[in-house]
Amino acid sequence: TNIVDFEILKSCLKMTLNLKNGELDDPKKIARDISEIGHWGNGDYEIKISNDEQLEYVMSLIKQSWVKNGK
């Protein structure tokens, strides 16, 4: 089972977390709910990053998917 899908774009790195709507604890609200729209990848949350300022926080969100799907 995959935990995150990566899409490398010219302007950013786009990730789709393999979590269902309501399963992500994201206090900073950087993940976008894409459960109601068509999208590429598994899961209901999209994250876009264009620099490394929030990398540690993004890794904590990816870890939530790993804990849920990786065992």
Side-chain angles (χ1 to χ4, degrees):
T1 301
N2 67 334
I3 57 173
V4 63
D5 296 306
F6 292 96
E7 188 174 351
I8 301 169
L9 305 173
K10 185 176 183 178
S11 62
C12 67
L13 178 63
K14 184 167 43 169
M15 296 167 273
T16 306
L17 294 178
N18 191 7
L19 291 170
K20 300 252 184 248
N21 189 13
E23 292 182 336
L24 182 66
D25 179 24
D26 179 17
K28 293 185 180 181
K29 306 287 187 211
I30 67 166
R32 176 179 166 213
D33 176 7
I34 56 172
S35 62
E36 298 293 322
I37 61 172
H39 60 278
W40 179 87
N42 299 309
D44 291 340
Y45 291 100
E46 176 184 272
I47 301 169
K48 291 182 183 178
I49 57 172
S50 56
N51 57 50
D52 62 354
E53 292 176 9
Q54 295 182 314
L55 192 56
E56 192 171 326
Y57 179 72
V58 169
M59 289 303 295
S60 74
L61 299 179
I62 293 172
K63 185 177 179 182
Q64 290 179 50
S65 182
W66 178 76
V67 168
K68 178 78 176 172
N69 297 299
K71 294 186 176 185

Coordinates of all heavy atoms in Angstrom, one line a residue:
T1 N 0.9 -1.2 0.0 CA 0.0 0.0 0.0 C 0.9 1.2 0.0 O 1.8 1.3 0.8 CB -0.9 0.0 1.2 OG1 -1.7 -1.2 1.2 CG2 -1.8 1.2 1.3
N2 N 0.6 2.2 -0.9 CA 1.3 3.4 -0.9 C 0.8 4.4 0.2 O -0.3 4.3 0.6 CB 1.3 4.0 -2.3 CG 0.0 4.6 -2.7 OD1 -1.0 4.1 -2.2 ND2 0.0 5.5 -3.5
I3 N 1.7 5.3 0.6 CA 1.3 6.2 1.6 C 1.2 7.6 1.1 O 0.4 8.4 1.6 CB 2.2 6.2 2.8 CG1 3.7 6.5 2.4 CG2 2.2 4.9 3.6 CD1 4.7 6.6 3.5
V4 N 1.9 7.9 0.0 CA 1.8 9.2 -0.6 C 2.2 9.1 -2.1 O 3.1 8.3 -2.4 CB 2.8 10.2 0.2 CG1 4.2 9.8 0.1 CG2 2.6 11.7 -0.4
D5 N 1.5 9.9 -2.9 CA 1.9 10.0 -4.3 C 2.5 11.4 -4.5 O 2.1 12.4 -4.0 CB 0.6 9.9 -5.2 CG -0.1 8.6 -5.1 OD1 0.6 7.5 -5.3 OD2 -1.3 8.5 -4.8
F6 N 3.6 11.4 -5.3 CA 4.4 12.6 -5.6 C 4.2 13.0 -7.1 O 4.2 12.1 -7.9 CB 5.9 12.4 -5.3 CG 6.2 12.3 -3.9 CD1 6.4 11.0 -3.3 CD2 6.3 13.4 -3.1 CE1 6.7 10.9 -2.0 CE2 6.7 13.3 -1.7 CZ 6.8 12.0 -1.2
E7 N 4.0 14.2 -7.3 CA 3.9 14.7 -8.6 C 4.9 15.9 -8.7 O 4.7 16.9 -8.0 CB 2.5 15.2 -9.0 CG 2.3 15.5 -10.4 CD 0.8 15.8 -10.8 OE1 0.0 15.6 -9.9 OE2 0.6 16.3 -11.9
I8 N 5.9 15.8 -9.5 CA 6.9 16.9 -9.6 C 6.5 17.9 -10.7 O 6.4 17.5 -11.9 CB 8.3 16.3 -9.9 CG1 8.7 15.3 -8.8 CG2 9.3 17.4 -10.0 CD1 9.9 14.4 -9.1
L9 N 6.3 19.1 -10.3 CA 5.9 20.2 -11.2 C 7.0 21.2 -11.2 O 7.9 21.2 -10.4 CB 4.6 20.8 -10.7 CG 3.4 19.9 -10.5 CD1 2.2 20.6 -9.8 CD2 3.0 19.2 -11.8
K10 N 6.9 22.0 -12.2 CA 8.0 23.1 -12.4 C 8.0 24.0 -11.2 O 9.0 24.4 -10.7 CB 7.7 23.9 -13.7 CG 8.8 24.9 -14.0 CD 8.5 25.5 -15.3 CE 9.6 26.5 -15.7 NZ 9.4 27.1 -17.0
S11 N 6.8 24.4 -10.7 CA 6.7 25.4 -9.6 C 6.6 24.8 -8.2 O 6.8 25.5 -7.2 CB 5.5 26.2 -9.8 OG 4.3 25.5 -9.8
C12 N 6.4 23.5 -8.1 CA 6.2 22.9 -6.7 C 6.2 21.4 -6.8 O 6.3 20.8 -7.8 CB 4.9 23.4 -6.1 SG 3.4 22.8 -6.9
L13 N 6.2 20.8 -5.6 CA 6.1 19.4 -5.4 C 4.7 19.2 -4.9 O 4.3 19.7 -3.9 CB 7.1 18.9 -4.4 CG 7.1 17.4 -4.1 CD1 7.3 16.5 -5.4 CD2 8.0 17.1 -3.0
K14 N 3.9 18.4 -5.6 CA 2.5 18.1 -5.2 C 2.4 16.7 -4.7 O 2.9 15.8 -5.3 CB 1.5 18.3 -6.4 CG 0.1 18.2 -6.0 CD -0.9 18.6 -7.0 CE -0.7 18.3 -8.4 NZ -1.9 18.6 -9.2
M15 N 1.8 16.5 -3.5 CA 1.7 15.2 -2.9 C 0.2 15.0 -2.6 O -0.5 15.9 -2.2 CB 2.5 15.2 -1.6 CG 3.9 15.4 -1.7 SD 4.8 15.7 -0.2 CE 4.6 17.4 -0.1
T16 N -0.2 13.7 -2.8 CA -1.5 13.3 -2.4 C -1.3 12.2 -1.3 O -0.7 11.2 -1.5 CB -2.2 12.7 -3.6 OG1 -2.2 13.6 -4.7 CG2 -3.7 12.4 -3.2
L17 N -1.9 12.6 -0.1 CA -1.7 11.6 1.0 C -2.8 10.6 0.9 O -4.0 10.9 0.7 CB -1.9 12.4 2.3 CG -0.8 13.4 2.7 CD1 -1.1 14.1 4.0 CD2 0.6 12.7 2.7
N18 N -2.5 9.3 1.2 CA -3.4 8.2 1.1 C -4.2 8.1 2.4 O -3.9 7.2 3.2 CB -2.7 6.9 0.7 CG -3.6 5.8 0.4 OD1 -4.8 6.0 0.3 ND2 -3.1 4.6 0.2
L19 N -5.0 9.1 2.7 CA -5.9 9.1 3.8 C -7.3 9.5 3.4 O -7.4 10.3 2.5 CB -5.4 10.1 4.9 CG -4.1 9.8 5.6 CD1 -3.6 11.0 6.4 CD2 -4.3 8.6 6.5
K20 N -8.3 9.0 4.0 CA -9.6 9.4 3.7 C -10.0 10.7 4.4 O -9.3 11.1 5.4 CB -10.6 8.3 4.2 CG -10.4 6.9 3.6 CD -11.5 6.6 2.7 CE -11.4 5.2 2.1 NZ -11.1 5.2 0.7
N21 N -11.0 11.4 3.9 CA -11.4 12.6 4.4 C -11.8 12.5 5.9 O -12.5 11.6 6.3 CB -12.6 13.1 3.6 CG -13.0 14.5 4.0 OD1 -12.3 15.3 4.7 ND2 -14.2 14.9 3.6
G22 N -11.2 13.3 6.7 CA -11.4 13.2 8.2 C -10.4 12.5 9.0 O -10.4 12.6 10.2
E23 N -9.4 11.8 8.3 CA -8.4 11.1 9.0 C -7.1 11.9 9.2 O -6.2 11.4 10.0 CB -8.0 9.8 8.2 CG -9.1 8.8 8.1 CD -8.7 7.5 7.3 OE1 -7.8 7.6 6.5 OE2 -9.3 6.5 7.6
L24 N -7.0 13.0 8.7 CA -5.7 13.8 8.8 C -5.9 14.9 9.9 O -6.8 15.6 9.9 CB -5.4 14.5 7.5 CG -4.1 15.3 7.4 CD1 -2.9 14.4 7.6 CD2 -4.0 16.1 6.1
D25 N -4.9 14.9 10.8 CA -4.8 16.0 11.8 C -3.8 17.0 11.2 O -2.6 16.8 11.2 CB -4.3 15.4 13.1 CG -4.2 16.4 14.2 OD1 -4.8 17.5 14.1 OD2 -3.4 16.2 15.1
D26 N -4.4 18.1 10.7 CA -3.6 19.2 10.1 C -3.9 20.5 10.7 O -4.7 21.3 10.2 CB -3.9 19.2 8.6 CG -3.2 20.3 7.8 OD1 -2.2 20.8 8.3 OD2 -3.6 20.6 6.7
P27 N -3.3 20.8 11.9 CA -3.7 22.1 12.6 C -3.3 23.3 11.8 O -3.9 24.4 11.9 CB -2.9 22.0 13.9 CG -2.1 20.8 13.9 CD -2.4 20.0 12.7
K28 N -2.3 23.3 10.9 CA -1.9 24.4 10.1 C -2.7 24.6 8.9 O -2.6 25.6 8.1 CB -0.4 24.4 9.8 CG 0.5 24.5 11.0 CD 1.9 24.5 10.5 CE 2.8 24.7 11.7 NZ 4.3 24.7 11.4
K29 N -3.6 23.6 8.6 CA -4.5 23.7 7.4 C -3.8 23.9 6.1 O -4.2 24.7 5.3 CB -5.6 24.7 7.6 CG -6.3 24.6 8.9 CD -7.3 23.5 8.9 CE -8.1 23.5 10.2 NZ -8.5 22.2 10.6
I30 N -2.7 23.2 5.9 CA -2.0 23.3 4.6 C -2.4 22.3 3.6 O -2.2 22.5 2.4 CB -0.5 23.3 4.7 CG1 0.0 21.9 5.2 CG2 0.0 24.4 5.7 CD1 1.5 21.8 5.0
A31 N -3.1 21.2 4.0 CA -3.6 20.2 3.1 C -4.9 20.6 2.6 O -5.8 21.1 3.3 CB -3.7 18.9 3.8
R32 N -5.1 20.3 1.3 CA -6.4 20.7 0.6 C -7.2 19.4 0.5 O -6.8 18.3 0.1 CB -6.1 21.2 -0.8 CG -7.3 21.5 -1.6 CD -6.8 22.0 -3.0 NE -7.9 22.0 -3.9 CZ -7.8 21.8 -5.2 NH1 -6.6 21.6 -5.7 NH2 -8.9 21.8 -5.9
D33 N -8.5 19.5 0.9 CA -9.5 18.4 0.8 C -9.9 18.3 -0.7 O -10.5 19.2 -1.3 CB -10.7 18.7 1.7 CG -11.8 17.6 1.5 OD1 -11.5 16.6 0.9 OD2 -12.8 17.8 2.1
I34 N -9.5 17.2 -1.3 CA -9.8 16.9 -2.7 C -10.8 15.7 -2.9 O -10.9 15.1 -3.9 CB -8.5 16.7 -3.6 CG1 -7.7 15.6 -3.0 CG2 -7.8 18.0 -3.6 CD1 -6.5 15.2 -3.9
S35 N -11.5 15.4 -1.8 CA -12.4 14.2 -1.8 C -13.6 14.4 -2.7 O -14.1 13.4 -3.2 CB -12.8 13.9 -0.4 OG -13.6 15.0 0.1
E36 N -14.0 15.6 -3.0 CA -15.1 15.9 -3.8 C -14.8 16.2 -5.3 O -15.7 16.5 -6.0 CB -16.0 17.0 -3.2 CG -16.5 16.7 -1.8 CD -17.5 15.6 -1.8 OE1 -18.3 15.5 -2.7 OE2 -17.5 14.8 -0.8
I37 N -13.5 16.2 -5.6 CA -13.2 16.5 -7.0 C -12.3 15.4 -7.6 O -11.7 14.6 -6.9 CB -12.4 17.9 -7.1 CG1 -11.1 17.8 -6.3 CG2 -13.2 19.0 -6.6 CD1 -10.1 18.9 -6.5
G38 N -12.3 15.3 -8.9 CA -11.5 14.3 -9.6 C -10.0 14.7 -9.4 O -9.7 15.9 -9.4
H39 N -9.1 13.7 -9.2 CA -7.7 14.0 -8.9 C -6.9 12.8 -9.2 O -7.4 11.7 -9.3 CB -7.5 14.5 -7.5 CG -7.9 13.5 -6.5 ND1 -9.2 13.3 -6.0 CD2 -7.2 12.5 -5.8 CE1 -9.2 12.3 -5.1 NE2 -8.0 11.9 -5.0
W40 N -5.6 13.0 -9.4 CA -4.6 12.0 -9.7 C -4.1 11.5 -8.3 O -3.9 12.4 -7.4 CB -3.5 12.5 -10.5 CG -2.4 11.6 -10.8 CD1 -2.4 10.7 -11.8 CD2 -1.2 11.4 -10.1 NE1 -1.2 9.9 -11.8 CE2 -0.5 10.3 -10.7 CE3 -0.7 12.0 -8.9 CZ2 0.7 9.9 -10.2 CZ3 0.5 11.5 -8.5 CH2 1.2 10.5 -9.1
G41 N -3.9 10.3 -8.1 CA -3.3 9.8 -6.9 C -4.4 9.2 -6.0 O -5.6 9.3 -6.2
N42 N -3.9 8.5 -4.9 CA -4.7 7.9 -3.9 C -4.9 8.9 -2.8 O -4.0 9.6 -2.4 CB -4.1 6.6 -3.4 CG -3.9 5.6 -4.5 OD1 -4.9 5.3 -5.2 ND2 -2.7 5.1 -4.6
G43 N -6.1 8.8 -2.1 CA -6.3 9.6 -1.0 C -7.1 10.9 -1.2 O -7.3 11.2 -2.4
D44 N -7.4 11.5 -0.1 CA -8.3 12.7 -0.2 C -7.7 14.0 0.2 O -8.3 15.0 0.3 CB -9.5 12.5 0.7 CG -10.4 11.4 0.2 OD1 -10.4 11.1 -1.0 OD2 -11.2 10.8 1.0
Y45 N -6.3 14.0 0.3 CA -5.7 15.3 0.7 C -4.5 15.6 -0.2 O -3.7 14.7 -0.5 CB -5.1 15.2 2.2 CG -6.2 15.1 3.2 CD1 -6.6 13.9 3.8 CD2 -6.9 16.3 3.6 CE1 -7.7 13.9 4.7 CE2 -7.9 16.3 4.5 CZ -8.3 15.1 5.1 OH -9.3 15.0 6.0
E46 N -4.4 16.8 -0.6 CA -3.3 17.3 -1.5 C -2.5 18.4 -0.7 O -3.1 19.2 -0.1 CB -3.9 17.9 -2.7 CG -2.9 18.5 -3.7 CD -3.6 19.2 -4.9 OE1 -3.9 18.5 -5.9 OE2 -3.9 20.4 -4.7
I47 N -1.2 18.2 -0.9 CA -0.3 19.2 -0.3 C 0.7 19.7 -1.4 O 1.2 18.9 -2.2 CB 0.6 18.6 0.8 CG1 -0.3 18.0 1.9 CG2 1.6 19.6 1.4 CD1 0.4 17.2 3.0
K48 N 0.8 21.0 -1.5 CA 1.8 21.5 -2.4 C 2.9 22.3 -1.6 O 2.5 23.1 -0.8 CB 1.1 22.5 -3.4 CG 0.2 21.9 -4.4 CD -0.4 22.9 -5.3 CE -1.4 22.3 -6.3 NZ -2.0 23.3 -7.2
I49 N 4.1 22.0 -2.0 CA 5.2 22.8 -1.3 C 6.1 23.3 -2.4 O 6.4 22.6 -3.4 CB 6.0 21.9 -0.3 CG1 6.6 20.7 -0.9 CG2 5.2 21.6 0.9 CD1 7.5 19.9 0.0
S50 N 6.6 24.5 -2.2 CA 7.4 25.2 -3.2 C 8.8 25.6 -2.6 O 9.7 26.1 -3.3 CB 6.8 26.4 -3.8 OG 6.4 27.3 -2.8
N51 N 9.0 25.3 -1.3 CA 10.3 25.6 -0.7 C 10.4 24.6 0.5 O 9.4 23.9 0.8 CB 10.4 27.0 -0.2 CG 9.3 27.5 0.7 OD1 9.0 26.8 1.7 ND2 8.7 28.6 0.4
D52 N 11.5 24.7 1.2 CA 11.7 23.7 2.3 C 11.3 24.3 3.7 O 11.6 23.7 4.7 CB 13.1 23.2 2.4 CG 14.1 24.4 2.6 OD1 13.7 25.5 2.6 OD2 15.3 24.0 2.7
E53 N 10.6 25.4 3.8 CA 10.3 26.0 5.1 C 9.3 25.2 5.9 O 9.4 25.1 7.1 CB 9.6 27.4 4.8 CG 10.6 28.4 4.3 CD 9.9 29.8 4.0 OE1 8.7 29.9 4.4 OE2 10.6 30.6 3.4
Q54 N 8.4 24.4 5.2 CA 7.4 23.6 6.0 C 7.7 22.1 5.8 O 6.9 21.3 6.1 CB 6.0 23.9 5.5 CG 5.6 25.3 5.7 CD 4.1 25.6 5.3 OE1 3.8 25.2 4.2 NE2 3.3 26.2 6.1
L55 N 8.9 21.8 5.4 CA 9.2 20.4 5.2 C 9.1 19.5 6.4 O 8.5 18.4 6.3 CB 10.7 20.3 4.6 CG 11.0 18.9 4.0 CD1 10.1 18.5 2.9 CD2 12.4 19.0 3.5
E56 N 9.5 20.0 7.5 CA 9.3 19.2 8.8 C 7.9 18.9 9.1 O 7.5 17.8 9.5 CB 10.0 19.9 9.9 CG 10.2 19.0 11.1 CD 11.1 19.6 12.2 OE1 12.0 20.3 11.9 OE2 10.8 19.4 13.4
Y57 N 7.0 20.0 8.9 CA 5.6 19.8 9.2 C 5.0 18.9 8.2 O 4.2 18.0 8.5 CB 4.9 21.2 9.2 CG 3.4 21.1 9.4 CD1 2.9 20.8 10.7 CD2 2.5 21.3 8.4 CE1 1.6 20.7 10.9 CE2 1.2 21.2 8.6 CZ 0.7 20.9 9.9 OH -0.7 20.8 10.1
V58 N 5.3 19.0 6.9 CA 4.8 18.1 5.9 C 5.2 16.7 6.2 O 4.4 15.8 6.0 CB 5.3 18.6 4.5 CG1 5.0 17.5 3.4 CG2 4.7 19.9 4.1
M59 N 6.4 16.5 6.6 CA 6.8 15.1 7.0 C 6.0 14.5 8.1 O 5.7 13.3 8.1 CB 8.3 15.1 7.4 CG 9.2 15.3 6.2 SD 9.0 14.1 4.9 CE 9.5 12.6 5.6
S60 N 5.5 15.4 9.0 CA 4.6 14.9 10.1 C 3.3 14.5 9.5 O 2.6 13.5 10.0 CB 4.4 15.9 11.2 OG 3.6 17.0 10.8
L61 N 2.8 15.1 8.5 CA 1.5 14.7 7.8 C 1.7 13.4 7.1 O 0.9 12.6 7.1 CB 1.1 15.9 6.9 CG 0.8 17.2 7.5 CD1 0.4 18.2 6.4 CD2 -0.3 17.1 8.6
I62 N 2.8 13.3 6.4 CA 3.1 12.0 5.7 C 3.2 10.9 6.7 O 2.8 9.8 6.4 CB 4.4 12.2 4.8 CG1 4.2 13.2 3.7 CG2 4.9 10.8 4.3 CD1 5.4 13.5 2.9
K63 N 3.8 11.1 7.8 CA 3.9 10.1 8.8 C 2.6 9.6 9.3 O 2.4 8.4 9.6 CB 4.7 10.6 10.0 CG 5.0 9.6 11.1 CD 5.8 10.1 12.2 CE 6.0 9.0 13.3 NZ 6.8 9.5 14.4
Q64 N 1.6 10.5 9.3 CA 0.2 10.0 9.7 C -0.3 9.0 8.7 O -0.9 8.0 9.1 CB -0.7 11.2 9.8 CG -0.5 12.1 10.9 CD -1.5 13.3 10.9 OE1 -2.7 13.1 10.8 NE2 -0.9 14.5 11.0
S65 N 0.0 9.2 7.4 CA -0.4 8.2 6.4 C 0.4 7.0 6.5 O -0.2 5.9 6.3 CB -0.2 8.9 5.0 OG -0.6 8.0 4.0
W66 N 1.6 7.1 6.8 CA 2.5 5.9 7.0 C 2.0 5.0 8.2 O 1.9 3.8 8.1 CB 3.9 6.3 7.3 CG 4.8 5.1 7.5 CD1 5.3 4.2 6.6 CD2 5.3 4.7 8.8 NE1 6.1 3.3 7.2 CE2 6.1 3.5 8.5 CE3 5.2 5.1 10.1 CZ2 6.7 2.8 9.5 CZ3 5.8 4.4 11.1 CH2 6.6 3.3 10.8
V67 N 1.6 5.7 9.3 CA 1.1 5.0 10.5 C -0.2 4.3 10.1 O -0.5 3.1 10.5 CB 0.9 5.9 11.7 CG1 0.1 5.3 12.8 CG2 2.3 6.4 12.2
K68 N -1.1 4.9 9.4 CA -2.4 4.4 9.0 C -2.3 3.3 8.0 O -2.9 2.2 8.1 CB -3.3 5.5 8.5 CG -4.6 5.1 8.0 CD -5.5 4.9 9.1 CE -6.9 4.5 8.6 NZ -7.8 4.1 9.6
N69 N -1.4 3.4 7.0 CA -1.3 2.5 5.8 C -0.1 1.6 5.8 O -0.1 0.6 5.1 CB -1.4 3.3 4.5 CG -2.6 4.0 4.4 OD1 -3.7 3.5 4.3 ND2 -2.5 5.4 4.3
G70 N 0.9 2.0 6.5 CA 2.2 1.3 6.4 C 2.4 0.0 7.2 O 3.3 -0.7 7.0
K71 N 1.4 -0.3 8.1 CA 1.6 -1.4 9.0 C 0.9 -2.6 8.4 O 0.0 -2.6 7.7 CB 1.1 -1.1 10.4 CG 1.9 0.0 11.0 CD 1.5 0.2 12.4 CE 2.5 1.2 13.1 NZ 2.3 1.4 14.4

